[in-house]
Amino acid sequence: MNSIKWLIKTLLLFLIIIFTILGINLDVDPYGIYGFNLFKFQKITQSGKMRFIKPLIVKELKPKSIVIGTSRAEHGYSTEHEYFKRPSYNFGLTSASMYEATTCFRYAIKQGNLEQTLLVLDYRMFNDKNQKQVEEFEHYFDDSRGKYYYLYSLDTFKDSLRTIFKSYKPFFLYKKDGSIEHKYEIEKLKKLKSQLVAMNGYEKNYYRLLNKEYIYKDTKRESFRDFDELIRLAYLHHIKLEIIFGPSHIRQWEALAYYLGDDTFSKWKRDVVFHVEKIAKELKKEPFKIVDFSIYHPLTAEKVSDTKGKFMQYYDDSSHYNQKMGDIVLDSLLHKGKFKNFGIPLNSNNIEQHLQHQEEIKEQFINAKAYRDMVFN
């Protein structure tokens, strides 16, 4: 009899613990995937877990339009802009490889509602150290784990407690549309000696370990295979795809040139343009629109602040531009606004002239030798 009572008490205790964990995880909703926001907790533990969070949101939202890219896309583009069809979502991933970006694109198509995609290309996507940043990446897209899978997780419970007690310092904070919260980035910048000092350190090592063979170092897989698949998927499913080279600060390209050679960045742009046109010709389609915003321009050459507490208008650092700049890009794609002619449409007929012009005007915007002396000594 006593053993039965003990068993019942143990079972009740177990059930209480389970339902307490479930209730806390559901009410706190640390990943923002259940729609509960009763206590309006800031989702501080989303950072670092967006690779499984974003597919869950995309599955439920079934967006008509998305952004794909790296953290540059996450920083730069709010899908509240009129450029995007609703519902819309920023499906960028921090440090995304071309393989990961294509996986995201394929999954968004699978939801059956996708009509439009903005692909924000980054040289690093084609030459990253890793084909995927987490080993179980593909499992996040196979629908074997719905959002309620994480409701029972002790890891989720730990993140719920971190959220309640604010005991976790996130690298990024995210908005509901999947883009990065700029106000938090400003708070981080306020703690720096100056943007200039921080950018010098950041740029010194950014491209140091990358290659220029268009392969992922860990698997030796060719990244253009994934880019090729993405383009073909867009044609097959009649997706309006626009491809851009994003407007990172011109210092970023000098850092790339220092480690990988002066012609590497231009060669990559050329290879992208010709690859898209090759597929279009094979499929008897019009080539997708490609627009270059990584050009020498007063916007991309914004003066870097060397004063603590003062920040650039359009950039958090040389790699990441904010949504003020992103809005200018989106306005330009719609042929409107003060900078409607900011981006340069590219094709096989004008690419060489464009690249040559960029080289000719470079010295008007940056002294490459002075930059290298300052950053790389």
Side-chain angles (χ1 to χ4, degrees):
M1 190 67 177
N2 288 335
S3 61
I4 294 175
K5 287 182 178 180
W6 180 86
L7 187 61
I8 292 172
K9 287 180 180 179
T10 302
L11 181 60
L12 285 173
L13 179 61
F14 176 75
L15 290 174
I16 289 170
I17 292 171
I18 291 296
F19 281 106
T20 299
I21 290 174
L22 291 178
I24 290 175
N25 286 346
L26 192 62
D27 289 338
V28 175
D29 192 9
Y31 307 139
I33 56 178
Y34 301 117
F36 283 80
N37 200 26
L38 180 62
F39 301 103
K40 300 190 184 303
F41 288 114
Q42 196 169 48
K43 311 303 182 185
I44 59 175
T45 60
Q46 285 183 325
S47 181
K49 296 182 173 69
M50 295 306 281
R51 274 174 169 73
F52 78 74
I53 293 172
K54 287 195 171 186
L56 293 172
I57 294 173
V58 165
K59 182 179 180 180
E60 193 149 310
L61 183 64
K62 302 190 185 319
K64 282 189 176 181
S65 57
I66 58 172
V67 184
I68 290 180
T70 63
S71 57
R72 296 180 187 180
E74 289 185 303
H75 274 80
Y77 302 98
S78 167
T79 59
E80 295 301 310
H81 192 279
E82 65 178 304
Y83 172 87
F84 298 100
K85 297 181 179 181
R86 306 289 189 276
S88 51
Y89 192 67
N90 190 317
F91 209 174
L93 294 175
T94 301
S95 301
S97 67
M98 201 62 238
Y99 172 81
E100 290 180 310
T102 301
T103 302
C104 289
F105 184 57
R106 190 189 312 115
Y107 190 71
I109 291 173
K110 182 180 177 182
Q111 307 316 309
N113 202 32
L114 190 66
E115 298 178 7
Q116 175 193 27
T117 297
L118 177 65
L119 175 59
V120 185
L121 288 184
D122 181 341
Y123 178 85
R124 188 172 188 135
M125 297 169 75
F126 289 76
N127 296 279
D128 211 316
K129 294 179 291 182
N130 303 309
Q131 180 176 323
K132 53 186 180 181
Q133 303 302 323
V134 291
E135 186 59 36
E136 57 182 359
F137 179 72
E138 291 86 357
H139 292 301
Y140 302 150
F141 298 85
D142 65 10
D143 292 335
S144 63
R145 302 176 180 180
K147 65 181 182 179
Y148 293 107
Y149 169 89
Y150 299 96
L151 197 59
Y152 299 86
S153 167
L154 282 176
D155 287 334
T156 306
F157 182 62
K158 291 175 185 177
D159 282 340
S160 291
L161 296 180
R162 293 185 183 109
T163 300
I164 293 170
F165 297 106
K166 299 180 180 179
S167 61
Y168 181 81
K169 185 178 180 180
F171 195 70
F172 297 132
L173 287 178
Y174 286 84
K175 298 180 181 179
K176 286 185 178 180
D177 78 333
S179 63
I180 285 173
E181 176 60 67
H182 182 59
K183 289 180 181 177
Y184 183 67
E185 298 306 296
I186 292 295
E187 292 304 312
K188 290 194 293 185
L189 289 173
K190 287 179 180 178
K191 299 174 184 177
L192 302 176
K193 187 175 180 181
S194 74
Q195 253 186 317
L196 179 62
V197 171
M199 285 171 63
N200 285 346
Y202 178 78
E203 293 156 18
K204 187 171 185 177
N205 295 301
Y206 188 85
Y207 289 106
R208 186 168 61 88
L209 299 177
L210 297 191
N211 65 75
K212 55 182 182 180
E213 285 79 38
Y214 306 139
I215 61 170
Y216 313 117
K217 276 192 175 181
D218 59 347
T219 63
K220 307 305 179 187
R221 176 186 173 95
E222 295 179 358
S223 55
F224 262 92
R225 285 176 55 189
D226 300 310
F227 182 63
D228 187 284
E229 180 184 351
L230 189 152
I231 300 301
R232 292 177 186 277
L233 281 170
Y235 279 125
L236 178 64
H237 294 278
H238 310 289
I239 309 298
K240 180 185 177 183
L241 176 68
E242 291 193 307
I243 303 168
I244 67 170
F245 300 109
S248 291
H249 198 276
I250 60 176
R251 290 168 55 105
Q252 189 76 7
W253 318 329
E254 285 306 313
L256 187 151
Y258 176 80
Y259 282 114
L260 300 172
D262 290 333
D263 297 330
T264 300
F265 196 47
S266 293
K267 180 181 182 301
W268 170 61
K269 292 181 183 180
R270 183 185 297 112
D271 291 341
V272 166
V273 168
F274 278 96
H275 198 86
V276 170
E277 292 199 6
K278 181 182 105 175
I279 297 172
K281 183 177 181 181
E282 176 189 329
L283 299 178
K284 296 180 173 57
K285 303 283 188 180
E286 282 294 313
F288 289 121
K289 184 178 180 180
I290 304 174
V291 184
D292 191 4
F293 292 95
S294 60
I295 59 176
Y296 292 104
H297 188 280
L299 287 171
T300 59
E302 182 181 3
K303 186 178 186 301
V304 182
S305 172
D306 59 0
T307 304
K308 183 178 176 64
K310 291 187 177 181
F311 317 112
M312 303 166 75
Q313 182 178 1
Y314 298 114
Y315 293 91
D316 297 330
D317 54 55
S318 57
S319 176
H320 299 108
Y321 46 95
N322 59 37
Q323 289 178 9
K324 289 181 182 177
M325 175 67 86
D327 285 348
I328 290 173
V329 169
L330 297 174
D331 284 346
S332 177
L333 291 172
L334 294 175
H335 308 290
K336 59 177 287 187
K338 179 180 178 182
F339 299 103
K340 63 183 179 181
N341 296 318
F342 176 26
I344 308 297
L346 295 182
N347 56 60
S348 57
N349 294 322
N350 74 349
I351 181 73
E352 298 304 333
Q353 181 182 359
H354 168 67
L355 295 175
Q356 180 62 36
H357 176 66
Q358 289 298 297
E359 188 61 32
E360 290 171 356
I361 67 172
K362 174 180 175 177
E363 290 185 0
Q364 299 175 28
F365 294 92
I366 190 169
N367 183 325
K369 183 179 184 306
Y371 168 79
R372 293 187 181 193
D373 288 345
M374 176 175 60
V375 175
F376 303 104
N377 300 318

